[in-house]
Amino acid sequence: MDYEPPFQETYKSFLQNSFDESEDKNLFMVEECELPLINLSQLNLEQLGRDKCIKEIAQAARQWGFFQVVNHGVPQEILNNLQYEQKMVFHLPFEKKAEEKFLNLSTNSYRWGNPEATSLKQVPWSETLHISLADISRMDKRNSLRSTIDAFGTTASTLAQRLAEILAQSLGIESNFFRENCPPKSSYIRMNRYPKCPLASKVFGLVPHSDSNLLTILYQDQVGGLQLMKDRRWFKVKPNPKALIINIGDLFQALSNDVFKSIKHRVVSPREVERFSAAYFYCPSNDAVIQSYTEPAMYRPFTLIEYRQQIQKDVQDTGDKIGLSRFLLSNNISPKIVSNS
């Protein structure tokens, strides 16, 4: 099909070498989990009900780093439109998607695979459209994707700020931090398509990683494939058609002084049908200072741009993201590779 990225041609040598390797059946033979499910309508109840909901959110962020929310304020119509639009855009001819100014977005907004990969395990068998909220105004007003992305971005931004302030409140952090340091245009949306993969047991749809932001809001279809690590074990996440998935990013882990956890996760490549998802990444401005809220602090203060530059350097030097351990204040703790984000 003319919309498929040329994975098999580009990674031909990797694929040929993989036939000599045994299949990693552990990618599929993992226990299924149901993430904590939180009904956000409880936040509109009297103080007792609201406090209970806040406690549930904070507990999930501490114990799992991931949780699901329903009655979240993002209308189902917007989510349905988003899924339709991303199918339409990803099914455009590959040559069209690969154009330098595709949809009049910034260069490299459309991405697939990994041009720096040195092995099959570093290749994400997926294509993505990375859209900064600052870029939306550049899109053609007649393009229905623009209005859909705008609507999703607006409602997801409201939800992200609300959850961030609730999590901060549970720690005693001044919640104005997010209003002052997280303007909407500093965040971005990433739409993902995971094509059917002929070697699904050997190739990730998305390689293991943690998110380099504050919070992520994920909407996914019902195909499944998202897996997360808890207690040093991988679990597959059971899709819930009525819920959005929330996960803590690296920056919130640092801000919370390791109270909340940015958990490593991955996506297994689909064997039989393509999979779609869309994520909103809640980020501060590049110069916002991320500082542990209590003493003794685990991490030295740093900015988002500094964090991203360090990740880029580590990926170039080692092939992987090292992440937060680069910013630990304890000099006797060795950096740990957590894989590329």
Side-chain angles (χ1 to χ4, degrees), residues 86-292:
Q86 68 180 128
K87 286 181 179 179
M88 294 294 289
V89 75
F90 281 125
H91 285 175
L92 289 172
F94 173 73
E95 290 77 12
K96 178 71 175 176
K97 294 181 289 187
E99 291 177 355
E100 184 175 354
K101 291 294 184 179
F102 179 53
L103 299 177
N104 207 33
L105 296 170
S106 298
T107 303
N108 295 326
S109 291
Y110 173 73
R111 307 166 186 179
W112 64 279
N114 176 10
E116 307 296 328
T118 57
S119 71
L120 201 57
K121 289 296 185 184
Q122 294 179 337
V123 177
W125 202 273
S126 58
E127 55 179 340
T128 69
L129 190 59
H130 179 106
I131 304 176
S132 166
L133 267 64
D135 261 3
I136 294 177
S137 62
R138 300 171 52 176
M139 300 174 69
D140 189 334
K141 292 182 178 179
R142 295 168 296 178
N143 190 328
S144 56
L145 175 63
R146 170 177 167 160
S147 60
T148 301
I149 287 290
D150 227 328
F152 177 64
T154 299
T155 52
S157 176
T158 300
L159 174 61
Q161 182 173 300
R162 188 182 194 191
L163 290 172
E165 291 178 347
I166 286 170
L167 288 167
Q169 178 185 339
S170 73
L171 296 173
I173 301 175
E174 177 55 58
S175 63
N176 282 344
F177 173 87
F178 304 102
R179 296 180 185 271
E180 294 172 357
N181 293 284
C182 301
K185 289 187 178 182
S186 65
S187 298
Y188 63 95
I189 293 168
R190 183 179 293 162
M191 301 192 302
N192 309 294
R193 174 180 174 264
Y194 301 91
K196 291 186 294 183
C197 181
L199 290 171
S201 62
K202 298 181 180 181
V203 188
F204 292 111
L206 190 60
V207 298
H209 67 289
S210 63
D211 289 350
S212 305
N213 60 330
L214 284 164
L215 289 175
T216 302
I217 298 173
L218 177 71
Y219 176 63
Q220 62 173 343
D221 62 19
Q222 299 307 296
V223 173
L226 175 63
Q227 298 184 351
L228 60 85
M229 180 169 280
K230 187 176 188 296
D231 302 326
R232 299 184 179 181
R233 295 170 55 201
W234 286 105
F235 292 86
K236 58 183 177 182
V237 177
K238 182 178 180 181
N240 182 333
K242 297 181 179 180
L244 294 175
I245 293 177
I246 313 296
N247 66 277
I248 302 296
D250 297 346
L251 303 187
F252 221 125
Q253 176 171 327
L255 193 67
S256 73
N257 212 31
D258 271 4
V259 174
F260 303 141
K261 304 300 182 184
S262 179
I263 299 299
K264 187 184 294 186
H265 50 287
R266 66 190 186 188
V267 175
V268 176
S269 296
R271 289 172 163 171
E272 299 177 357
V273 295
E274 61 186 355
R275 175 182 183 267
F276 292 90
S277 68
Y280 176 89
F281 293 87
Y282 185 55
C283 302
S285 57
N286 283 335
D287 58 354
V289 177
I290 304 300
Q291 185 169 353
S292 297

Side-chain angles (χ1 to χ4, degrees), residues 20-136:
D20 298 327
E21 302 172 2
S22 60
E23 291 192 354
D24 186 359
K25 295 182 180 179
N26 290 331
L27 290 179
F28 298 95
M29 301 296 290
V30 298
E31 185 179 344
E32 186 174 71
C33 71
E34 291 194 38
L35 297 175
L37 181 63
I38 299 169
N39 184 348
L40 295 186
S41 66
Q42 297 177 92
L43 293 173
N44 301 321
L45 300 177
E46 75 291 343
Q47 192 64 40
L48 188 63
R50 176 179 169 80
D51 289 347
K52 177 177 178 292
C53 186
I54 292 173
K55 183 177 179 181
E56 289 175 354
I57 293 171
Q59 185 175 10
R62 285 186 173 93
Q63 296 181 357
W64 285 84
F66 271 77
F67 54 95
Q68 302 175 99
V69 293
V70 293
N71 293 315
H72 40 65
V74 182
Q76 188 62 44
E77 182 181 6
I78 290 178
L79 298 175
N80 292 342
N81 290 343
L82 180 65
Q83 190 171 74
Y84 171 81
E85 292 292 343
Q86 68 180 128
K87 286 181 179 179
M88 294 294 289
V89 75
F90 281 125
H91 285 175
L92 289 172
F94 173 73
E95 290 77 12
K96 178 71 175 176
K97 294 181 289 187
E99 291 177 355
E100 184 175 354
K101 291 294 184 179
F102 179 53
L103 299 177
N104 207 33
L105 296 170
S106 298
T107 303
N108 295 326
S109 291
Y110 173 73
R111 307 166 186 179
W112 64 279
N114 176 10
E116 307 296 328
T118 57
S119 71
L120 201 57
K121 289 296 185 184
Q122 294 179 337
V123 177
W125 202 273
S126 58
E127 55 179 340
T128 69
L129 190 59
H130 179 106
I131 304 176
S132 166
L133 267 64
D135 261 3
I136 294 177

